[in-house]
Structures are given as C-alpha cells and as structure tokens.
Amino acid sequence: MALKPIVAVNFKAYYPYSFGEYALRLAKSARKVWEETGVRIILAPPYTEIRRIIEVVEGTEIEVYGQHADPIEPGARTGYIPLEALVEAGAHGVILNHSEHRLKLADINWLIKRAQKLGLKTLVCADVPETGAAVAVLGPDMVAVEPPELIGTGIPVSKAKPEVITGSVELIRRVNKNVLILTGAGISSGDDVYAAIKLGTIGVLVASAIVKAKKPYDVIKDMALKALNAIK
Amino acid sequence: MALKPIVAVNFKAYYPYSFGEYALRLAKSARKVWEETGVRIILAPPYTEIRRIIEVVEGTEIEVYGQHADPIEPGARTGYIPLEALVEAGAHGVILNHSEHRLKLADINWLIKRAQKLGLKTLVCADVPETGAAVAVLGPDMVAVEPPELIGTGIPVSKAKPEVITGSVELIRRVNKNVLILTGAGISSGDDVYAAIKLGTIGVLVASAIVKAKKPYDVIKDMALKALNAIK
Amino acid sequence: MALKPIVAVNFKAYYPYSFGEYALRLAKSARKVWEETGVRIILAPPYTEIRRIIEVVEGTEIEVYGQHADPIEPGARTGYIPLEALVEAGAHGVILNHSEHRLKLADINWLIKRAQKLGLKTLVCADVPETGAAVAVLGPDMVAVEPPELIGTGIPVSKAKPEVITGSVELIRRVNKNVLILTGAGISSGDDVYAAIKLGTIGVLVASAIVKAKKPYDVIKDMALKALNAIK
Amino acid sequence: MALKPIVAVNFKAYYPYSFGEYALRLAKSARKVWEETGVRIILAPPYTEIRRIIEVVEGTEIEVYGQHADPIEPGARTGYIPLEALVEAGAHGVILNHSEHRLKLADINWLIKRAQKLGLKTLVCADVPETGAAVAVLGPDMVAVEPPELIGTGIPVSKAKPEVITGSVELIRRVNKNVLILTGAGISSGDDVYAAIKLGTIGVLVASAIVKAKKPYDVIKDMALKALNAIK
C-alpha cells in the first residue's frame, strides 16, 4: 500500500495569523481539503490554540501536533510544556528541533523515546543532510530537513537546493529504512510540493505560505492535489 | 479604599493535577471561593489550558495569567509563546521570572513594558529582597519574593524566613511606592497567608498546596478567609 | 579626592585582534598610556589570554577583568568558567551581563555577591536607564549603560542618545549613591569620552574602536587625555 | 599498525584542583607518563589554563583540548570562546557536547566541520549508545559515550553498564567505521581502563579520579600501563 503524502502546517507565532479566529479558519480549511482529498495533514498550532484546533478537526484523520515540547518531566516546572501537557490537550504528536527552536542532541533522543511511550508521533527537524541522518538514527516517525537560510524566503528548497533533498534521502536511508522523510523551507505552492516528493520525500513542512495566505484553503488544496499527483 | 488581598495560584505542570479535568475543577473551586469572598484570585494554568480556564471563570473578576512568556515579538518563532499569544487566548496577565523559569534582566524589562502596552498585568518573581527591589525599579504591577529553597517544601516563608518578607517590603518600598508585594514558597494554609499579609504583603503566590490538594476548594477558601481577616 | 576617570577595554572575540600577539600589543599600549597618564584602565581579554595579559601589566595599576563568568560554583562543570577560575588566573574583576552575554537577574545578584567575597570587582552592563538602576540596586562596583543598538556602530551614545546617559545617571543615583557609572556603545574617540564624562559618568566601556585600531596606543592615549580634561 | 590507547583527562572546574599550581602538576605528571609509556594522552584544562598547560607539554605528543567551544564565529561575542580562541591559544582539539555542557545537534555538526577546517581534533560526548551513533554520523575524530548517572560516582561504566560500551561500539560501527570510540563515567583505575578497552573501545575519558587524586602521576601511570596491556 502506497504511503499517503504529507502536508504538515507549522502555524508558528505570526500575529494575528497563528492565533484566534485566523487559526480556526486555517483548521477549517485544512478540514475541507482533507475531506476532499484524504491527504495526510498535520497541523501544529501554538500551545494556546491546540484544544480549539482539535475540536475543529474532530472526526477527521487530521493530526494536531505541538510545535515543540520541553525536555522535562511534569512537575514543578512553571511555564514549561512537557509532552504530557500535549497529551492532555489531545494532541497526536510533536515537532521537535525546529530550526527556530533547536534542542540538545540528548534531549531530542529523550523526547523521542518518551513521546513513543506516551503515544505521540514525532516529527524531528534538521538543517542539513548529515544532521537529518543523525536524527534518523534515533528512530523518530518523521524527519524534516530544512535549510534554515531558505525558511520564510519563498525560495523553495526543491528548486534552490535539490541536492539537500536528494542528499538527505540518501544519507537517511543508510541508517534508517522506515522513517518518513519530509522537507521544507520556502515551500510556497503545489509545484514545490510536487518537486519535493519527486526528489524522494513523502511530503513537506510548510508555514508562512499557508498560514499567512489570503485564502489558506486554496494553497492547501493546491498542495494536496499536486502531492497526490506526485505520489502516483 | 483598602486593597483586596491576593491569592495567586500557579498551576505549574504537575501531572495530572495541572491539566484537563483537574485544572477545570481547580478553576471551578476558585470561582466558588470568589463568589463567596470576593478575594482577588489569579489563576496561572499551563498554556494549553488557558482558554478553557478562562471560560470557567467568565463573568467573575478572577484573572487568568500565563505562567511565563517568551521575550520575543510574534513571527517565525516555532514553539515560543509571545505575550500576544496570551492576549489572543484571553489572558489578563503574565507571571515573569519565576524561580523555575528565570529570565534575563533586559528581557524582564522588555516584557514588562510590552505587557503594559498590550494591557496585560505583570507579576514578577524574585528570589531575595535585593532582586525583588531590582525588579520593582522596572515598574511591574506585582512583585512576588519567593526563596527558591522553600518552594514546594510546605515550610512557609512566613515562618521560616519572615525577615525575607519584611526585608523585601522595606527594600522594595524604597524604590517603588505602588507595586503590589506578594510572597510565596511553602505557603500551605490560611494561617501562612495571614502571616504573610501581617508581615506587610498584600497576598501570596501558591502552587502545590492548592493544585495538588484533595479538596482545592477547602484550601483556597481557608486562604481567602484568613487573607480577609489579615487585611482588616 | 576626585575619582580617576575610567577607560575599560572589552577585547570581545575579534579575530585576530582579541588574541595572541594582537592582544599582547594592545596590553602593552595600555601599559604605556597608564604610565604616561595614570588614568584607570581596565582590560577584559578572552579567558584564554588573561594570564598573559596579566603578565604584561604587572607592576602597574591596570586591572584585568574576565568578560563574563558563569553563575556556578566550581566543581564538575565542564567548559564553564566560575569566578574562581578568574581569581586563580590572577584577574582583578569581571564584566557581567554584557549585551552580548546577558544573565538572568538572580544570577547577576549571585555573581555580584560571590565576586565581592572573592575580592573581584564587578562591572555590570545594562541596556537602558531602568535596567541600569535595577542593577545598581544590587550593589556592584560599576554599572555601564550601553544601548545595544549602538554597540559596534561607531555612532557614540554620547551624541546619538545623550538622554540615555543623563537618564541613567539620574535613575541610578536615586537608588545607589556610590556605584561608578560608565557608559558605552559607539565610543570611538577621545571626544566621545569627554562628552560621556561631561554628561555625568566616570568613564567608558570601549571595544572595537580600540581593539581593531591600527594603532591602539593612539586611541587609548587620546581617550585617556580627554578623560582627564573632562574630569577636571 | 595498532592504534595507541587513549587516556583523555577532563580537568573540569574543580577548585582548586583544576587550576593554577594543581593544573601544572597534573600536566607534569602526564608528561612523565607519556615519556615513560608513549600512551596517547589528551589534557583538557579550563580555558584560562590552556596556554600554561601547553607550555608544560611542549616537545611531547600530549594533546591539549578545550573542554568546550561556543558555536559562534569570532567577532563581537563578549565572554564566548569560539574555536579560533582555542587555535590561537595553541590547543590541538576540543571536547564537545559533554554531559555537563550539552550542545544543540545543529551546533555539534557546525563545530565539528569548522574544527576540521581549523585543524582541531574533535572528541564528542554522548549519553547513550543511540546518541553516540547519531554523533558518529557527523564524522568527529572521537566519540566518548558516558552515562551521565555514573559520572563522578567512582562506579565504572565498564563494570556497572558494560552493555552501554558494547552497545555503543556496535551501533557506532554500523554508521562509522573509523571514528575512535572512547568511554567514560566512573573510571577510577587502570583495571577500569583495561576493561573498557577489552569491551571494544580505544580508551577512556577520565576526570575526578585523576584530577582530584593525591598523586595524579600514580593514577595516570596505572591507567596507561593497563591500557597498553589491554591493547596488545
């Protein structure tokens, strides 16, 4: 059975787009695209919005992830978010080590292992193929290689640095046969998603192109359809 | 007009007490105590629970605060919580510089000023009278002096180190006439709250004694009544 | 007795200027200026150069400071520099909370108190008048207010933001009568030093204008002479 | 040609043992052992002592490493130590990611690559076999797997957790054929070194057992001789 392509949406902390009514509208758009295409969609809203986004996507297969989790056990840890906080809020997974929120190596490993015990999926980011492979050694569910210098630029990694994608796939597969490989940075359109999948990944991690879009539905739908085309 | 005494409840990240149904029950208990006593109550739940707690206390004067905020502007900041995230979630204020989440001095100042512009109250923690006074220079709404070595011990600062409280009040008043002065660490009962107020503060910052209590209502009620007695 | 004006030189980590032969030459230039003017000179080289710089200035009143110290006790702390490491290396003091190496408020206080016990002078930086006053509450030997946006620009704070200097002096003096007040950021010439002292400080914290100068001796000498003129 | 066994000594920041005359005596002891045995010895003193230790071991093959380096380029970085600071001080290499000074994954990779360009050897620590393998993917010269819970206990990893050593060797060799594999944590005697090498490593990373020893020479000599026996 072929794997479903993945469109993972990192809401980040854009004001006002990542919050409140904007965040709800984004989740509703994603829900509609999922209903129409069945593409695997992951939404990663700010901590404060997780519960409401989960309500919106209830009854679908859309997954809601935390954007990060702190490498701590629950307890007297004021202002930190342990994995258990995400579980309690109903989240299905967590992004770890995003280029805007890098983690220490030992903590990435600790969080992956603990997330597995808690039933949370892990999507771990890396900046270059080598660190992507290093992360893959630790056994997460997904690895997303994103060159930080392209993040937010609108210059898609699939065009500007296709060798990052092919190199990542090659290095990662040497050490881990099963991990799902995503890419990201500058992904703006369905064509970028198509190219990313054709270069060997199973999907993309996208932020501003969707989150700050005038019509998020249109962008997600375009990406979903091109992703399905690419995977055939 | 006399100031109302303050009972501020830091939910921290206790599992399962700070989350889900436990968090809701705690908020409902606080609501009941507020309805019965009118004491000023501040609730600081984990980020993921803020929206739900706010729904519970709607229509009361209970305030809901973030436990922390990251010293950043909104934007491409994956997994961070800017003050704007709290505003969007409906929060009324924020705790800053808790001993479990210390901030850099320049960031405390930046956050206080930005919170003021955004209409968020600030409750800034400090470990000793000197740092309490340093914080007071920056003009927050509240300063809470909490000796870290007593936090979570059940040994109340008002008994173990009354000189920390009187010393804080003295040093803080030299540099700031208006800031509300709280204390905390080991506060377990209404008697501890009474003592803290008699030593010159306007109230307390409490965590485990309420959050992990079998009957949170009883503890909050006891603290609220003794606080009212003390303030007369 | 009038206080001596201060020229404090932060070597930072410029390559190659802050290291090796360049660092030695800088220290020798400072020594010569001290011998000719008697101005109070503080040199803050990288950790790795402290011992050699101390040898160069032996027999003078030039003081050698660490650029930072980690807020830790000695022990199993691989790769950290406790205050004791500076004492052992022969240093006379330490810069704390530089804008490029901010510290948490509680740690600034801890380090000031511990430095005092160990006989090390403390020069604590701040970004704005308010944080300068907050720091002054903690009782360091010197406070240097430096607007980060001017650091390294060559645009002297004494011209671009004289109100930062006068505001700092005013706020700091309200809470601390004795602390020595310095300023910095963009200080490039003796004229800038002159202006800074005339605005109420006792001297300056300088980096690139001296460290990256073709002839450090000329710059230090110019600053020292103008400082003496200003203080008269 | 057989590889030489390695005894790497992490001075840490013990007071007074890691500094001043104690540090010099330790380096002289190491020098004597090297002259008598030819074992590969690595010394990692605090930043402030590097230059003096290098003078002591001049003319030998003993290598001097930094205990850490900050993941930064040289420049306006007050109080930080870029790799270039170590090069300028004459160091031959650097320890990275020690359990007391963990680094972010992307920074470990960046530092390894930059160290290679600068001619510095890299000894990268990890806490468990999986992270040891992750680090090995990045191509450092040496990987040292050290269970943090045994560090400083005197309970040698080679006895308490031999499976950590054999597991590390197995996982690391799958992804990197050439990296030198060390172990550490609780290593106290020559027998511990012997066991560590017999379990598949090329040597050990030791701290308190040597640094705080009454007679460092005796301990280093014992370890060197047993290491040579083990490697035969």
Side-chain angles (χ1 to χ4, degrees):
Chain A
M1 192 195 77
L3 284 166
K4 282 187 189 168
I6 298 172
V7 177
V9 187
N10 180 358
F11 286 47
K12 299 196 176 181
Y14 298 113
Y15 185 80
Y17 309 102
S18 309
F19 305 100
E21 295 309 307
Y22 284 86
L24 286 182
R25 186 179 67 139
L26 179 46
K28 285 172 192 165
S29 301
R31 182 182 178 113
K32 194 146 175 264
V33 174
W34 178 81
E35 290 166 347
E36 294 164 354
T37 68
V39 158
R40 183 172 178 188
I41 296 178
I42 294 168
L43 302 180
Y47 299 137
T48 45
E49 307 290 342
I50 288 177
R51 281 188 179 277
R52 293 224 298 185
I53 299 301
I54 284 169
E55 286 173 18
V56 172
V57 301
E58 218 178 311
T60 72
E61 288 173 6
I62 292 177
E63 297 156 70
V64 178
Y65 285 26
Q67 290 178 15
H68 174 83
D70 293 305
I72 55 160
E73 298 189 28
R77 303 303 301 258
T78 300
Y80 288 104
I81 293 293
L83 290 164
E84 286 79 357
L86 301 179
V87 173
E88 284 288 311
H92 312 92
V94 64
I95 295 176
L96 296 174
N97 199 42
H98 188 277
S99 78
E100 292 153 14
H101 214 145
R102 290 290 187 221
L103 283 160
K104 296 175 184 178
L105 171 61
D107 291 335
I108 298 174
N109 187 48
W110 186 89
L111 283 161
I112 290 173
K113 301 300 183 291
R114 192 173 185 97
Q116 284 166 346
K117 277 184 205 154
L118 292 168
L120 290 173
K121 299 277 184 193
T122 49
L123 189 173
V124 186
C125 299
D127 57 342
V128 291
E130 287 91 336
T131 50
V135 154
V137 166
L138 307 176
D141 295 289
M142 288 164 256
V143 175
V145 181
E146 299 193 298
E149 67 275 16
L150 295 179
I151 292 178
T153 59
I155 304 169
V157 58
S158 45
K159 271 188 203 156
K161 299 204 170 183
E163 73 281 5
V164 166
I165 303 180
T166 52
S168 296
V169 173
E170 191 198 329
L171 284 189
I172 290 171
R173 282 292 169 249
R174 278 191 211 165
V175 299
N176 186 320
K177 298 296 173 211
N178 302 312
V179 68
L180 298 173
I181 303 173
L182 308 180
T183 191
I187 300 293
S188 304
S189 69
D191 289 343
D192 300 340
V193 177
Y194 185 92
I197 294 178
K198 284 298 182 193
L199 288 166
T201 71
I202 190 66
V204 293
L205 180 56
V206 191
S208 57
I210 289 174
V211 181
K212 297 167 89 170
K214 284 198 180 160
K215 301 185 177 178
Y217 168 79
D218 292 355
V219 184
I220 309 176
K221 183 74 179 279
D222 178 39
M223 290 186 177
L225 292 178
K226 297 279 174 51
L228 287 171
N229 272 344
I231 216 101
K232 274 177 194 166
Chain B
M1 191 194 77
L3 284 167
K4 283 187 189 169
I6 298 172
V7 176
V9 187
N10 179 358
F11 287 46
K12 298 196 176 181
Y14 298 114
Y15 184 79
Y17 309 102
S18 310
F19 305 101
E21 294 310 307
Y22 284 85
L24 286 182
R25 187 179 67 139
L26 179 46
K28 285 172 193 165
S29 302
R31 182 182 177 113
K32 194 146 175 265
V33 174
W34 179 80
E35 289 167 347
E36 294 164 355
T37 67
V39 158
R40 183 171 177 187
I41 295 178
I42 293 168
L43 302 180
Y47 299 137
T48 45
E49 308 290 342
I50 289 177
R51 281 188 179 277
R52 292 224 298 186
I53 299 300
I54 283 170
E55 285 173 18
V56 172
V57 302
E58 218 179 311
T60 73
E61 287 173 7
I62 293 177
E63 297 156 69
V64 178
Y65 284 26
Q67 290 179 14
H68 174 82
D70 293 305
I72 55 160
E73 298 189 28
R77 303 303 301 257
T78 300
Y80 288 103
I81 294 293
L83 290 164
E84 284 80 356
L86 302 178
V87 173
E88 284 287 312
H92 312 92
V94 65
I95 295 177
L96 296 173
N97 198 43
H98 188 276
S99 78
E100 293 153 13
H101 214 145
R102 290 288 187 224
L103 283 160
K104 295 175 184 178
L105 172 61
D107 291 336
I108 298 173
N109 186 48
W110 186 88
L111 283 161
I112 290 173
K113 301 299 184 290
R114 192 172 184 97
Q116 285 167 345
K117 276 184 205 154
L118 293 168
L120 290 173
K121 299 277 184 193
T122 50
L123 190 173
V124 186
C125 299
D127 58 342
V128 291
E130 288 91 335
T131 50
V135 154
V137 166
L138 308 176
D141 295 289
M142 289 164 254
V143 175
V145 181
E146 299 193 297
E149 66 277 15
L150 295 179
I151 292 178
T153 60
I155 304 169
V157 59
S158 44
K159 271 189 204 155
K161 300 204 169 182
E163 74 280 6
V164 165
I165 303 179
T166 51
S168 296
V169 173
E170 191 197 329
L171 285 190
I172 290 170
R173 282 292 169 249
R174 277 190 211 165
V175 299
N176 186 321
K177 298 296 172 209
N178 302 312
V179 69
L180 297 174
I181 303 174
L182 308 181
T183 190
I187 300 293
S188 303
S189 70
D191 288 343
D192 300 340
V193 177
Y194 185 91
I197 294 177
K198 284 298 183 196
L199 288 166
T201 71
I202 190 66
V204 293
L205 179 56
V206 191
S208 57
I210 289 175
V211 181
K212 297 167 91 170
K214 284 198 181 161
K215 300 186 177 177
Y217 168 80
D218 292 355
V219 184
I220 309 176
K221 183 74 180 278
D222 178 38
M223 291 186 178
L225 292 178
K226 297 278 174 51
L228 287 170
N229 272 344
I231 217 97
K232 274 177 195 165
Chain C
M1 190 194 79
L3 285 166
K4 282 185 190 172
I6 298 172
V7 177
V9 187
N10 179 358
F11 286 47
K12 298 196 175 181
Y14 298 114
Y15 184 80
Y17 308 102
S18 309
F19 305 101
E21 295 309 308
Y22 284 84
L24 286 182
R25 186 181 66 140
L26 179 47
K28 286 173 192 164
S29 301
R31 181 180 179 115
K32 194 146 175 266
V33 174
W34 179 81
E35 289 167 347
E36 294 164 356
T37 68
V39 159
R40 184 171 176 187
I41 295 177
I42 293 168
L43 302 180
Y47 299 137
T48 44
E49 307 289 343
I50 289 176
R51 282 187 178 279
R52 292 222 301 185
I53 300 300
I54 284 170
E55 285 173 18
V56 171
V57 302
E58 219 179 309
T60 74
E61 287 172 7
I62 292 177
E63 295 155 70
V64 177
Y65 283 27
Q67 290 179 15
H68 174 82
D70 292 304
I72 55 159
E73 297 190 29
R77 302 304 301 259
T78 300
Y80 288 103
I81 293 293
L83 290 164
E84 285 80 355
L86 301 179
V87 173
E88 283 288 311
H92 311 92
V94 64
I95 295 175
L96 296 173
N97 198 43
H98 189 275
S99 77
E100 292 153 13
H101 213 146
R102 290 289 187 221
L103 282 160
K104 296 175 183 176
L105 172 60
D107 290 336
I108 298 173
N109 187 47
W110 187 89
L111 283 161
I112 290 173
K113 301 299 184 291
R114 192 173 184 96
Q116 284 166 347
K117 277 185 205 153
L118 292 168
L120 289 173
K121 299 277 185 192
T122 49
L123 189 173
V124 186
C125 299
D127 58 342
V128 290
E130 287 91 337
T131 50
V135 154
V137 166
L138 307 176
D141 296 287
M142 290 165 253
V143 175
V145 181
E146 299 192 297
E149 67 275 17
L150 295 180
I151 292 179
T153 59
I155 304 169
V157 59
S158 44
K159 270 188 205 158
K161 301 205 169 184
E163 73 281 5
V164 166
I165 303 180
T166 52
S168 296
V169 173
E170 192 198 327
L171 285 190
I172 291 171
R173 282 292 169 248
R174 280 190 210 165
V175 298
N176 187 319
K177 299 296 173 210
N178 302 312
V179 67
L180 298 173
I181 304 173
L182 308 181
T183 192
I187 300 293
S188 303
S189 69
D191 288 344
D192 300 339
V193 177
Y194 184 91
I197 294 177
K198 283 299 181 193
L199 288 165
T201 72
I202 190 67
V204 292
L205 180 56
V206 191
S208 57
I210 289 174
V211 181
K212 297 167 91 170
K214 283 199 182 161
K215 299 186 177 177
Y217 168 80
D218 292 356
V219 183
I220 309 175
K221 183 74 180 277
D222 178 39
M223 291 186 177
L225 292 178
K226 296 278 173 52
L228 287 171
N229 271 345
I231 217 100
K232 272 177 196 166
Chain D
M1 192 194 78
L3 284 167
K4 282 186 190 171
I6 298 172
V7 177
V9 187
N10 179 359
F11 286 47
K12 298 195 175 180
Y14 299 113
Y15 184 79
Y17 308 102
S18 309
F19 304 101
E21 295 310 307
Y22 284 84
L24 286 182
R25 187 181 67 140
L26 179 46
K28 285 172 192 164
S29 301
R31 181 181 179 116
K32 195 145 174 267
V33 174
W34 178 81
E35 289 167 347
E36 294 164 355
T37 68
V39 158
R40 184 171 175 187
I41 296 177
I42 294 168
L43 302 180
Y47 299 137
T48 44
E49 306 290 341
I50 289 177
R51 282 188 178 278
R52 291 222 300 187
I53 299 300
I54 284 170
E55 285 173 18
V56 172
V57 302
E58 219 179 311
T60 74
E61 287 173 6
I62 293 177
E63 295 156 70
V64 178
Y65 284 27
Q67 290 179 15
H68 174 82
D70 292 304
I72 55 159
E73 297 190 30
R77 302 304 301 259
T78 299
Y80 288 104
I81 293 293
L83 290 164
E84 286 79 355
L86 302 179
V87 173
E88 284 287 311
H92 311 91
V94 64
I95 295 176
L96 296 173
N97 199 42
H98 189 275
S99 78
E100 292 153 13
H101 214 145
R102 291 287 187 223
L103 283 159
K104 296 176 183 177
L105 172 61
D107 290 336
I108 298 173
N109 187 48
W110 187 88
L111 283 161
I112 290 173
K113 301 299 184 292
R114 193 174 184 96
Q116 284 166 346
K117 276 185 205 153
L118 292 168
L120 290 173
K121 298 278 184 192
T122 49
L123 190 173
V124 186
C125 299
D127 58 342
V128 290
E130 287 90 339
T131 49
V135 153
V137 166
L138 308 175
D141 296 287
M142 289 165 254
V143 174
V145 181
E146 300 192 297
E149 66 277 17
L150 295 179
I151 292 178
T153 59
I155 304 169
V157 59
S158 44
K159 271 190 205 156
K161 300 205 170 183
E163 73 282 4
V164 166
I165 303 180
T166 52
S168 296
V169 172
E170 192 198 328
L171 284 190
I172 290 171
R173 282 292 169 249
R174 278 191 211 164
V175 298
N176 188 319
K177 298 297 173 210
N178 302 312
V179 68
L180 298 173
I181 304 173
L182 307 181
T183 192
I187 300 293
S188 302
S189 69
D191 288 343
D192 301 339
V193 178
Y194 184 91
I197 293 177
K198 284 299 182 194
L199 288 165
T201 72
I202 191 65
V204 292
L205 180 56
V206 191
S208 57
I210 289 175
V211 181
K212 296 166 90 169
K214 282 199 181 161
K215 299 185 178 178
Y217 168 80
D218 292 355
V219 184
I220 309 176
K221 183 74 180 277
D222 178 39
M223 291 186 177
L225 292 177
K226 296 279 174 51
L228 287 170
N229 272 344
I231 216 99
K232 273 177 196 167

